[in-house]
Amino acid sequence: MTRSTILFLTDGNGAYLSEKKRGFGKGYLNGYGGKVAEGESVEEAAVRELKEEADVAADPQKLQKVAIIDFYEEGGHLWECHVFFASAWEGELRETEEMTAPRLYAFSELPYDRMWKSDQAWLPLVFSGKRIHAQVHCPKGLDDVEKFECEPL
C-alpha cells in the first residue's frame, strides 16, 4: 500500500482542476498530488506536489484534511490517499510539465465525465462539506467502481 495525497485549491464556490499530462492518470482532470516520500508527512507531500504541479506554494499548517480514501484494485490495497483543501496559496497557478493550466469549476458543475470514475462516488461528499474515510473497490485498471463504503472522518 502506498500513501498518497490529493490537494484541491478552492475559492469557496468551486475548485481548480487540471488535466494530468503524463504518467498515472494521464488525460484525467484532478487536483494536485502524488506519493508521500519517505520521512515526509502527508501535509508536506501535498504542498510539495502542489509546487511541482502548479508552481504555487501553500502552508501545510493551513491545509484542511477532508478525506482519507483507501483504494483497492482486485482486492489489493493500492493507496491510502489523504485529501486536502487549501483556500490560500502564494503565486500564480500555471501549466507545468505534469499538469495543464488549471481551470476553476463551480462545485455544482464539476466535469465528472473527465475525471476518474471513483471520483463520482466520493468527491460530491467532500465538496458538500462532509469529512469522510472511504473505501473504493475497483476492478483491474481502476476504470469502474465495484463497491464504495464510507464513514465520517
Side-chain angles (χ1 to χ4, degrees), residues 63-82:
L63 300 182
Q64 177 189 6
K65 184 179 275 192
V66 296
I68 299 172
I69 313 292
D70 291 300
F71 289 94
Y72 296 82
E73 181 183 44
E74 293 188 319
H77 192 186
L78 290 181
W79 298 290
E80 175 188 273
C81 186
H82 295 255

Side-chain angles (χ1 to χ4, degrees), residues 10-133:
T10 64
D11 76 345
N13 297 310
Y16 288 89
L17 301 176
S18 295
E19 184 178 320
K20 181 88 178 200
K21 292 165 55 174
R22 64 179 188 201
F24 184 75
K26 180 181 178 181
Y28 288 111
L29 288 176
N30 209 339
Y32 302 98
K35 295 177 186 170
V36 178
E38 189 173 329
E40 200 175 36
S41 72
V42 291
E43 292 83 3
E44 290 167 339
V47 297
R48 175 185 51 77
E49 289 284 347
L50 177 65
K51 182 66 175 169
E52 291 173 6
E53 295 181 350
D55 199 28
V56 297
D59 182 345
Q61 302 291 324
K62 294 184 179 177
L63 300 182
Q64 177 189 6
K65 184 179 275 192
V66 296
I68 299 172
I69 313 292
D70 291 300
F71 289 94
Y72 296 82
E73 181 183 44
E74 293 188 319
H77 192 186
L78 290 181
W79 298 290
E80 175 188 273
C81 186
H82 295 255
V83 183
F84 299 95
F85 287 173
S87 58
W89 58 91
E90 294 179 13
E92 290 288 323
L93 294 167
R94 69 175 190 87
E95 182 169 355
T96 62
E97 289 182 17
E98 207 167 333
M99 303 290 277
T100 62
R103 178 176 160 204
L104 180 62
Y105 293 89
F107 291 135
S108 61
E109 297 176 3
L110 291 169
Y112 288 111
D113 60 324
R114 297 187 54 210
M115 301 169 79
W116 285 100
K117 185 86 165 183
S118 64
D119 291 349
Q120 296 175 32
W122 63 271
L123 265 179
L125 296 172
V126 297
F127 284 141
S128 73
K130 291 184 171 64
R131 297 178 70 238
I132 63 169
H133 185 184

